[in-house]
């Protein structure tokens, strides 16, 4: 996969030289190129922004500079997918990461200030290009760089060969099961008086799987009730249904409903 990142702070992206993504770059699995937006300015001051039409606080990034930069890094590739991190985007999830990981070429446009002139996204969309405006969560950062790091790591680790043991991608939080991951433990078996659950030492695989599934259901019900409500009933066995009832969720006619007042929140 090729990923081009355009930013006014190329140094921000230095973290992508580290760890598994850094290795993927070295081995050629990931062709990641970071560009300085100011390379496409034409004035002496290398200006990338200006005041907003209609008034208001802050500065907006100029569409002409962005247009030149994006045309250059898209490099005539009709399949280049433009990703624009923005707090006003759709919320980026593991589903977006999975979908973006199947692409051959991503171009990530990191805005600063009040964002990029809206004509930029419209222009590339109108030209038939895929454009995704994505937010990494309901909070505001100073620019798209940190969000780009988040998305590139989430996408990059899904590329074949980047994570050494692909099994470790299977049971993760936000994976296909639609549940948060169960708690995990390692040595020593007793730490500062804290023991690990006996079942994990039993060697009984079915019991361990059930224990983990129950903990995942409990965690998800407590922390992310929206994910319980979104579970596919077809994926639940009778133990899941019983566990959910204990947690105050009723499974009926293909839907999962919270039983009001069943369990103290
Ligand atoms: N830029 C500023 N805030 C952001 C957010 N929450 N997600 C993506 N890009 C951003």
């Amino acid at each position: 996969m090729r990923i081009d990142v355009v930013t006014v702070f190329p140094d921000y992206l230095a973290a992508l030289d580290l760890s598994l993504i850094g290795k993927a770059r070295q081995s050629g699995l990931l062709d990641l190129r970071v560009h300085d937006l100011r390379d496409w300015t034409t004035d002496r001051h290398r200006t990338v922004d200006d005041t907003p039409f209609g008034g208001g606080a802050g500065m907006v990034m100029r569409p002409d500079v962005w247009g030149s930069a994006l045309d250059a890094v898209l490099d005539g590739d009709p399949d280049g997918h433009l990703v624009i991190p923005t707090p006003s985007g759709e919320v980026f999830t593991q589903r977006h990461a999975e979908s973006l990981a199947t692409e051959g070429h991503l171009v990530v446009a990191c805005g600063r200030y009040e964002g990029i002139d809206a004509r930029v996204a419209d222009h590339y969309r109108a030209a038939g290009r895929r454009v995704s405006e994505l937010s990494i969560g309901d909070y505001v950062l100073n620019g798209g760089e940190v969000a780009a790091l988040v998305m590139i790591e989430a996408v990059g680790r899904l590329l074949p060969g980047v994570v050494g043991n692909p099994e470790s991608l299977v049971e993760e939080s936000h994976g296909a099961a639609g549940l948060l991951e169960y708690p995990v433990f390692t040595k020593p078996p007793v730490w500062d008086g804290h023991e690990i659950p006996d079942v994990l030492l039993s060697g009984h695989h079915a019991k361990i799987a059930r224990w983990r599934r129950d903990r995942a259901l409990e965690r998800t019900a407590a922390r992310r009730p929206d994910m319980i409500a979104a579970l596919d009933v077809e994926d639940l066995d009778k133990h899941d249904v019983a566990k959910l009832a204990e947690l105050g969720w009723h499974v009926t006619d293909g839907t999962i409903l919270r039983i009001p007042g069943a369990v103290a929140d």
Side-chain angles (χ1 to χ4, degrees):
M1 170 183 270
R2 172 173 165 188
I3 304 180
D4 290 272
V5 183
V6 185
T7 167
V8 287
F9 291 117
D11 291 347
Y12 242 114
L13 284 300
L16 296 173
D17 279 331
L18 306 174
S19 187
L20 293 180
I21 302 295
K23 280 198 192 125
R25 290 178 81 176
Q26 274 171 11
S27 71
L29 285 174
L30 181 61
D31 174 8
L32 182 72
R33 311 178 193 185
V34 180
H35 312 269
D36 187 342
L37 177 69
R38 293 191 202 276
D39 290 347
W40 285 278
T41 55
T42 50
D43 65 319
R44 211 157 54 86
H45 301 289
R46 310 184 85 204
T47 310
V48 294
D49 59 341
D50 215 318
T51 52
F53 281 121
M59 301 289 269
V60 176
M61 297 190 101
R62 293 176 59 107
D64 49 354
V65 180
W66 271 108
S68 304
L70 295 175
D71 286 346
V73 301
L74 283 164
D75 213 0
D77 176 4
D79 295 326
H81 185 146
L82 184 55
V83 175
I84 307 178
T86 166
S88 53
E90 229 174 76
V91 177
F92 176 76
T93 66
Q94 190 67 17
R95 303 291 87 72
H96 291 96
E98 285 160 2
S99 162
L100 292 173
T102 66
E103 305 268 354
H105 186 194
L106 304 179
V107 172
V108 186
C110 300
R112 282 260 139 190
Y113 322 112
E114 298 305 308
I116 302 173
D117 186 303
R119 289 171 291 181
V120 174
D122 292 345
H123 167 77
Y124 288 98
R125 251 188 220 115
R129 188 172 292 286
R130 273 159 317 149
V131 177
S132 299
E133 294 176 88
L134 298 171
S135 165
I136 60 162
D138 293 343
Y139 39 80
V140 179
L141 305 167
N142 287 330
E145 287 76 11
V146 170
L149 287 173
V150 167
M151 294 186 215
I152 292 168
E153 177 155 328
V155 170
R157 64 194 293 282
L158 299 179
L159 300 177
V162 171
V163 170
N165 179 2
E167 290 265 315
S168 63
L169 302 175
V170 174
E171 289 190 12
E172 296 182 316
S173 295
H174 307 295
L179 297 173
L180 300 180
E181 199 183 22
Y182 48 79
V184 294
F185 305 88
T186 186
K187 295 178 195 70
V190 183
W191 168 67
D192 210 11
H194 304 282
E195 297 183 3
I196 62 168
D198 284 340
V199 63
L200 299 181
L201 302 171
S202 70
H204 194 301
H205 297 301
K207 276 194 186 150
I208 292 172
R210 188 64 245 168
W211 183 88
R212 287 180 163 165
R213 179 101 179 148
D214 285 346
R215 301 294 84 72
L217 287 164
E218 283 169 2
R219 246 189 192 181
T220 310
R223 300 176 184 177
R224 292 293 303 276
D226 57 308
M227 288 172 66
I228 297 286
L231 285 172
D232 188 341
V233 173
E234 303 275 306
D235 295 340
L236 303 175
D237 66 17
K238 66 178 197 301
H239 299 284
D240 297 331
V241 172
K243 184 72 199 171
L244 284 168
E246 213 179 277
L247 296 168
W249 291 85
H250 190 50
V251 180
T252 177
D253 288 342
T255 58
I256 307 178
L257 294 172
R258 184 99 172 82
I259 307 165
V263 172
D265 287 316

